[in-house]
Amino acid sequence: MLVDVPRTTPRYNGALPGVVEGERPTLDQIRRELGDCRRCKLCTGRKNIVFGSGNPRAELVFVGEGPGENEDIQGVPFVGPAGDLLTKMIAAMGFSRNDVYICNVVKCRPPGNRNPEPDEIAACEPFLRSQLLALQPRAIVALGKFAAQTLLRDTTPITKMRGTWREYEGIQLMPTFHPAYLLRNNAEKRKAWEDLQQVMKLFGKQPGSSA
Ligand code: URA
């Protein structure tokens, strides 16, 4: 059972053509607007746009950085090794991938899995913000620095931001470590789990329960 947490309606951010002020877009509308996107240089190397996946009525959204090789091939976010860990983290929280929605800051794979560049983030950000406007979840988990810093417009390092509730357009946002970072830094998993437990508490879930 989910607890009822009052929240305000996210404001329209004004950045996406095709989304009318005062109206809540649908994910399908946003995907259509994205089209065969050529708005930044990442389009030249991509195999597939990775828009997002999961429940369009999700109360919980995970935002990552950008597709890697496996995601680029399949067109689905978080399906490689970091995705396997994210899937386990979601299950440990008492959710399945079908309950939540998963997307990224940039929708196309940066070559060689390099970090997304500011112009690429700027080109893609309106789509992420519109996805969140469409979803209007109860909570967002920002996975890693690019998700947290982009959504919050805050350059504080993720090591300092993680574990403290923030607010994104009236939605509670929990910054935590990116699963790919956790794969390289096993000792940090405990901190990420503490962060996720705070999210579970918001949803009335206990570790080890399937409520
Ligand atoms: N890392 C991300 O940030 N997103 C993905 O979809 C996969 C790996």
Side-chain angles (χ1 to χ4, degrees):
M1 230 7 218
L2 301 178
V3 291
D4 193 24
V5 178
R7 61 178 196 261
T8 54
T9 305
R11 291 183 305 271
Y12 171 62
N13 56 61
L16 189 69
V19 176
V20 179
E21 176 137 22
E23 282 181 18
R24 182 176 174 179
T26 65
L27 290 171
D28 285 346
Q29 271 176 318
I30 299 161
R31 181 64 190 88
R32 272 198 300 278
E33 184 64 34
L34 184 61
D36 182 31
C37 186
R38 308 261 145 210
R39 291 169 183 82
C40 87
K41 58 189 178 300
L42 293 181
C43 69
T44 56
R46 72 156 183 251
K47 291 191 172 61
N48 284 295
I49 292 177
V50 181
F51 181 68
S53 75
N55 188 341
R57 292 206 292 273
E59 300 249 292
L60 179 58
V61 174
F62 291 81
V63 180
E65 177 181 320
E69 184 181 15
N70 296 286
E71 291 79 15
D72 181 49
I73 292 167
Q74 295 185 43
V76 179
F78 282 99
V79 289
D84 291 343
L85 178 57
L86 179 62
T87 303
K88 285 186 194 148
M89 289 158 65
I90 291 169
M93 293 174 75
F95 294 97
S96 80
R97 279 181 70 122
N98 293 331
D99 297 324
V100 304
Y101 191 84
I102 306 173
C103 59
N104 284 304
V105 173
V106 294
K107 314 295 187 215
C108 298
R109 183 189 181 201
N113 297 345
R114 66 157 168 75
N115 290 337
E117 293 175 353
D119 60 312
E120 297 157 0
I121 294 173
C124 229
E125 190 181 340
F127 294 94
L128 172 62
R129 289 180 181 272
S130 297
Q131 283 174 299
L132 295 170
L133 184 64
L135 290 158
Q136 295 189 14
R138 182 170 300 169
I140 299 166
V141 176
L143 299 165
K145 106 172 186 172
F146 287 96
Q149 293 186 346
T150 301
L151 288 174
L152 298 172
R153 300 198 196 286
D154 180 341
T155 56
T156 306
I158 189 68
T159 45
K160 293 224 159 48
M161 260 200 277
R162 64 143 282 274
T164 303
W165 282 112
R166 302 286 299 264
E167 195 188 305
Y168 167 83
E169 302 280 345
I171 302 167
Q172 307 215 53
L173 182 148
M174 176 57 69
T176 193
F177 291 129
H178 191 285
Y181 171 81
L182 296 174
L183 287 174
R184 298 189 303 270
N185 299 274
N186 204 36
E188 301 286 53
K189 282 185 181 167
R190 189 183 49 79
K191 291 182 194 158
W193 179 232
E194 284 168 12
D195 304 344
L196 297 181
Q197 281 179 289
Q198 294 196 62
V199 180
M200 291 167 66
K201 205 167 161 197
L202 181 72
F203 286 90
K205 288 184 182 275
Q206 303 285 330
S209 88
S210 55

